[in-house]
Amino acid sequence: MRPIAEGVSKDRSQALPIPAELPLLALLGFKDTEGADWARLRALQYGHVGRHIYLRLAAHILTGLVFVWAAWTIIPPLALSAWGAALLAAVYSIVLQDRSLRRIERHRLTRKDAARHSTSTVFGAIIWAATLPLGTIFGSPQDLVMIWAVVSVVPAGAAVMLAAAPLGAIIYLALIGLSAVITLSLAGHFHLAGAAILLVGIVGFGVATRAQAFLRGAVAEEGMAERNEVVSLLLREFEENEADWLWQVDTNRKIRSASPRFAFALGCEPADVEGKPFLQLIAGPAWTTGQFPTSLHDLAERLKERDSFSNLLVKVMINDDYRWWELSGTPMLDERGRHLGFRGVGSDVTEQRKSSEKIAYLARYDTLTELPNRLMLNESLGEAMRYAKQWRSRCAFLMLDLDRFKAVNDSLGHLVGDRLLAQVSARLKETLTENEMVGRLGGDEFAVVIRDATDSEQVEQVARKIIHRLSQPYEVDHHTLFVGASVGSAIAPGDGKSVEELMRNADLALYRAKDLGGGEHCRYEPSLHRSAEERRKLELSLRKALEREEMTLAFQPVVDANTEDIVSFEALLRWNSSEHGSVSPAKFVPLAEDTRLIVPIGIWVLEQACIEAANWPKRTKVNVNVSPEQLIEPDFAASVVRALAMSGLDASRLEIEVTESIFLRDADVARVALEEVMALGCQVALDDFGTGYSSLGYLRKLQFSTIKVDRSFVQGAAQGSKESIAIIRAVIAMADSLEMTTTAEGVEDAEEAELIRKLGCTKIQGYYFGRPMPGKDARALFARRDRLTA
């Protein structure tokens, strides 16, 4: 479109600015103010004057004839004839000047040009002003009043016809008014002289005001003409380039002047659509059934009401195919204002509409599960809360998290995890009713909005139904998978007055449900805020625990099952906080793992355990627990080397203990890290065997030195549980076949020790043989043993 704009600027000057103030001297042409193109403004003024040449000519001649007729018996014929000849000469000069102004609007007019035009005006004004002295000389005072009555028409007429260029009107007013004041005063008509002064002032003020109004209107009209010219050129190029199309209908809504592009959009030839009903052509079968799209009804209403419209989206049927058109239209009127129909611009925006719908869908729906996403959940919860407030009812928000999903995702890959999430979403949609809306918040977190939760038991029922359904086994890529769900809920308005508050409280309830071990539903309680605040404060203290030297190690002995000699100590971490007192490992270790503080803490534990073990007899080992978070660190093996080098401990006396959870996250990275540690000469024990997943395959791939039987199986065996006894025997048999030792954990009395010994376990650990103790007490055990054997 740029060439058109450039072409217009060549043919017409740029848009004409109008100054905020229009001083009288500038209107008269005596000076040019800044910020305005007065040459062009002056051309508009005098161009308007040039349009009324013959009207002014007729006015001068007609008024002159009236004056001659009125003064025929007063002024001698010779003088009157001379005056008439002078008037004709002045009028002729004026006509010549005005003809040069007929097309001056498109050009520029300097102050010099305007002054030259005013010379003929001055000549004409002098001629008319001379009538009053002639009346004074040859007539009576009453005759002078009559002559003034006739001549006063001239400045009044000038005020009307020369108001656009007020200098001419002011010249007539000034000269004729001055002549009237002088002659009337000399004749004793002082009241008439005053009236003449008043008349000149009022008409002069009117001339100035009208000149300002004219100039502003002329500039606006000029700008409109320029815009219309640009629009015409744009429309011409628009049609030539076949960019969209123009449409036109008559008063009966029948198509007129159909352009080829418009006919193509209708799927027809121009001749085939000319004179056809516009709405019928775009309605398709709906024309006969009467089932019109809402947008088509809207278009028909606009055409009926004769309202202009812009960018109206209309769903049309063209050749049995639904399309989307964007229409703009304006009523057409004739010069008398009668309605002739509509004309406008249209375009096919079907592809853009599809893209917009897809973008709108993606903005509110999760692509993996096809469930509403966080944005739409927020909007739906907001609507539910507003409805509940209006009708004094209740709504609820449930936040749910999949149990053990992370293990599936890490061990089997994200593709399997995504397919599992798709199955979970399908089950959720099947489980819930129209009163509930389920969506995905992200990851393995989902949410449910219960629009009407007036029944207090309904929330619990929905939560239990979800937990039960999601806990059923899944079949994904030939894998049978088991995941559960934990649910936290909050009910509005009691548990939150805003969407953000209600969601936050439901999240706190979910966190509590996860803490209970999963597969649980927890309602929000105000006390949960205290728990969250306590956790936050605990995390802040934990970050400073090493710096404050609040961490210590305790050592629990592991004995030979037959001789009961100490073969190793397990290093156990203890935290005595200056702010929270003695904090249980069950409380701070999960927090450290969640915040990855376990990495620096684990390095400290490793170094301190090796330093302490260096003081023990050379055959006594130290067992150090290592978190999965530590194993995935790239320099884990290097940290083991540093700890051994710092302490001087032989690598064979360090046994790293890991749990089966290492195989559920970045299993290959963990395996490589453990193989590097084994290559140093360290040993690796598998802790809490039988409580996790996927470890059997890795027993063949990694040469573990020890398998530790979880205390739950030991206690079960002591209570006579056949299953626990069978599991312990199986573990021991498997360990023997793989040339691994076994350690039974949690042995608390002599009977349990004897049972474990009979089952064939290699080593025993538990309170029966010693509680966790400080390093100095562990060293004291060795000193006491040395004294007894000496």
Side-chain angles (χ1 to χ4, degrees), residues 540-783:
L540 291 176
S541 299
L542 185 60
R543 292 184 180 277
K544 301 175 183 178
L546 286 179
E547 178 185 340
R548 295 173 176 174
E549 297 183 352
E550 296 175 348
M551 295 286 186
T552 59
L553 290 181
F555 299 90
Q556 186 175 28
V558 179
V559 302
D560 184 283
N562 296 314
T563 65
E564 297 187 358
D565 291 334
I566 297 175
V567 293
S568 66
F569 279 90
E570 181 178 2
L572 302 171
L573 183 61
R574 297 292 183 261
W575 179 25
N576 187 20
S577 171
S578 59
E579 297 171 340
H580 305 279
S582 180
V583 184
S584 168
K587 193 171 187 179
F588 75 78
V589 170
L591 178 60
E593 289 183 329
D594 288 345
T595 58
R596 289 190 58 78
L597 291 172
I598 196 66
V599 175
I601 292 174
I603 292 175
W604 180 87
V605 170
L606 186 62
E607 292 175 351
Q608 296 303 311
C610 290
I611 292 172
E612 184 63 36
N615 299 314
W616 301 339
K618 292 185 178 181
R619 288 184 299 177
T620 307
K621 300 178 181 178
V622 64
N623 300 49
V624 179
N625 291 283
V626 173
S627 167
E629 297 293 333
Q630 292 175 261
L631 281 179
I632 64 174
E633 286 293 306
D635 62 343
F636 173 71
S639 66
V640 174
V641 171
R642 285 194 300 270
L644 293 173
M646 183 186 304
S647 62
L649 185 70
D650 188 86
S652 62
R653 294 178 59 196
L654 175 62
E655 188 170 55
I656 300 294
E657 290 192 9
V658 296
T659 63
E660 293 174 306
S661 61
I662 66 168
F663 304 120
L664 303 179
R665 178 181 178 185
D666 297 319
D668 292 336
V669 176
R671 179 176 57 81
V672 171
L674 292 177
E675 288 174 347
E676 290 176 349
V677 170
M678 290 178 182
L680 296 173
C682 301
Q683 296 180 331
V684 178
L686 184 60
D687 198 5
D688 298 338
F689 183 79
T691 61
Y693 304 91
S694 307
S695 63
L696 292 176
Y698 283 93
L699 288 176
R700 292 184 288 105
K701 296 180 181 180
L702 286 171
Q703 186 61 40
F704 290 100
S705 59
T706 302
I707 296 177
K708 301 187 75 172
V709 180
D710 187 70
R711 62 181 298 175
S712 61
F713 298 121
V714 173
Q715 293 173 351
Q719 295 170 3
S721 170
K722 294 181 179 179
E723 291 82 2
S724 296
I725 293 173
I727 289 173
I728 294 174
R729 282 175 174 165
V731 171
I732 293 172
M734 180 179 61
D736 289 342
S737 65
L738 295 174
E739 298 180 353
M740 302 177 187
T741 60
T742 52
T743 300
E745 296 180 300
V747 175
E748 298 182 354
D749 53 42
E751 290 78 8
E752 291 180 0
E754 183 61 28
L755 174 62
I756 292 301
R757 191 178 291 114
K758 288 180 179 180
L759 290 174
C761 205
T762 312
K763 293 173 285 187
I764 303 176
Q765 178 182 357
Y767 286 175
Y768 178 64
F769 293 100
R771 291 178 176 271
M773 61 190 75
K776 62 179 182 178
D777 293 347
R779 292 194 298 273
L781 284 179
F782 293 117

Side-chain angles (χ1 to χ4, degrees), residues 96-247:
L96 289 179
Q97 288 287 346
D98 286 356
R99 289 185 65 180
S100 66
L101 301 176
R102 296 185 68 177
R103 301 193 181 276
I104 196 66
E105 295 104 320
R106 299 293 181 105
H107 301 87
R108 305 167 68 84
L109 189 69
T110 65
R111 280 190 291 170
K112 186 176 181 181
D113 296 332
R116 187 164 48 249
H117 174 269
S118 300
T119 56
S120 60
T121 304
V122 172
F123 181 33
I126 291 174
I127 298 301
W128 281 109
T131 57
L132 293 168
L134 288 175
T136 303
I137 295 171
F138 297 109
S140 65
Q142 288 75 19
D143 294 333
L144 180 63
V145 173
M146 185 270 296
I147 292 173
W148 165 241
V150 174
V151 174
S152 63
V153 174
V154 176
V160 174
M161 286 185 277
L162 297 177
L167 179 59
I170 295 299
I171 289 172
Y172 275 104
L173 279 172
L175 294 179
I176 297 175
L178 180 62
S179 177
V181 170
I182 293 173
T183 55
L184 289 172
S185 297
L186 292 174
H189 297 298
F190 296 107
H191 60 288
L192 291 178
I197 294 173
L198 185 61
L199 175 66
V200 170
I202 293 173
V203 175
F205 177 76
V207 167
T209 304
R210 187 155 180 252
Q212 288 183 333
F214 164 78
L215 198 55
R216 294 186 186 279
V219 170
E221 186 178 345
E222 180 75 3
M224 182 64 72
E226 290 181 1
R227 285 194 293 272
N228 289 340
E229 183 174 340
V230 172
V231 169
S232 298
L233 291 170
L234 288 173
L235 289 176
R236 191 154 51 248
E237 183 178 275
F238 183 86
E239 288 183 314
E240 290 172 356
N241 293 339
E242 295 187 344
D244 300 332
W245 28 264
L246 304 174
W247 61 275

Side-chain angles (χ1 to χ4, degrees), residues 232-546:
S232 298
L233 291 170
L234 288 173
L235 289 176
R236 191 154 51 248
E237 183 178 275
F238 183 86
E239 288 183 314
E240 290 172 356
N241 293 339
E242 295 187 344
D244 300 332
W245 28 264
L246 304 174
W247 61 275
Q248 181 176 325
V249 295
D250 60 17
T251 54
N252 295 320
R253 305 179 198 173
K254 293 183 178 181
I255 295 174
R256 299 300 177 192
S257 305
S259 65
R261 185 68 177 169
F262 180 35
F264 178 79
L266 290 167
C268 304
E269 294 295 326
D272 296 333
V273 300
E274 187 69 25
K276 297 290 181 63
F278 179 38
L279 296 178
Q280 181 178 351
L281 286 176
I282 62 177
W287 186 259
T288 55
T289 63
Q291 298 176 348
F292 300 104
T294 305
S295 58
L296 206 56
H297 272 294
D298 193 12
L299 173 62
E301 192 66 22
R302 300 290 183 93
L303 296 176
K304 178 182 177 182
E305 298 296 330
R306 301 177 182 177
D307 292 333
S308 296
F309 54 90
S310 179
N311 302 326
L312 179 66
L313 280 175
V314 181
K315 189 176 184 181
V316 301
M317 173 72 79
I318 305 297
N319 295 333
D320 299 326
D321 183 25
Y322 276 114
R323 310 290 296 177
W324 283 96
W325 284 3
E326 187 176 78
L327 298 176
S328 298
T330 304
M332 294 187 299
L333 304 176
D334 63 11
E335 62 278 2
R336 297 183 180 179
R338 292 178 299 187
H339 182 64
L340 299 178
F342 263 84
R343 176 188 293 134
V345 181
S347 59
D348 191 315
V349 294
T350 305
E351 297 305 319
Q352 296 94 310
R353 175 77 179 187
K354 289 179 180 178
S355 298
S356 300
E357 290 175 348
K358 185 175 182 180
I359 291 171
Y361 177 86
L362 292 176
R364 284 173 168 74
Y365 284 86
D366 176 60
T367 54
L368 174 63
T369 61
E370 297 183 355
L371 292 177
N373 61 11
R374 182 182 291 272
L375 174 62
M376 192 168 181
L377 282 169
N378 284 355
E379 293 175 350
S380 299
L381 181 58
E383 291 175 4
M385 293 181 73
R386 286 190 291 272
Y387 181 87
K389 181 179 181 180
Q390 179 182 356
W391 298 103
R392 297 185 179 181
S393 59
R394 297 191 299 177
C395 65
F397 185 74
L398 278 63
M399 190 175 288
L400 57 114
D401 185 87
L402 298 182
D403 301 330
R404 301 182 295 278
F405 173 77
K406 189 173 182 297
V408 174
N409 214 28
D410 291 341
S411 60
L412 299 178
H414 293 288
L415 183 59
V416 172
D418 288 347
R419 290 174 179 170
L420 176 59
L421 288 175
Q423 290 194 25
V424 168
S425 64
R427 291 189 184 186
L428 286 171
K429 285 187 282 189
E430 295 170 358
T431 303
L432 301 179
T433 66
E434 292 183 358
N435 187 40
E436 298 103 30
M437 189 191 82
V438 62
R440 184 188 180 201
L441 294 173
D444 61 336
E445 284 191 335
F446 295 81
V448 176
V449 176
I450 301 180
R451 298 181 178 91
D452 182 5
T454 306
D455 184 357
S456 58
E457 296 298 321
Q458 183 179 8
V459 176
E460 180 70 23
Q461 292 172 0
V462 171
R464 289 298 167 195
K465 189 164 56 173
I466 290 173
I467 293 172
H468 174 74
R469 186 70 182 95
L470 297 188
S471 298
Q472 303 301 311
Y474 298 83
E475 292 293 332
V476 181
D477 290 350
H478 308 294
H479 297 283
T480 300
L481 305 176
F482 292 86
V483 295
S486 300
V487 180
S489 64
I491 299 176
D495 296 339
K497 298 294 190 297
S498 67
V499 170
E500 294 76 14
E501 184 181 6
L502 197 67
M503 294 181 74
R504 183 172 63 251
N505 291 342
D507 192 31
L508 289 174
L510 173 62
Y511 195 88
R512 175 62 177 161
K514 299 288 284 187
D515 280 348
L516 295 176
E520 296 290 339
H521 166 232
C522 285
R523 281 277 308 275
Y524 166 75
E525 298 174 358
S527 61
L528 294 178
H529 274 293
R530 292 193 295 271
S531 300
E533 182 62 16
E534 180 184 350
R535 175 184 169 88
R536 187 187 67 81
K537 292 180 178 179
L538 195 66
E539 179 184 337
L540 291 176
S541 299
L542 185 60
R543 292 184 180 277
K544 301 175 183 178
L546 286 179

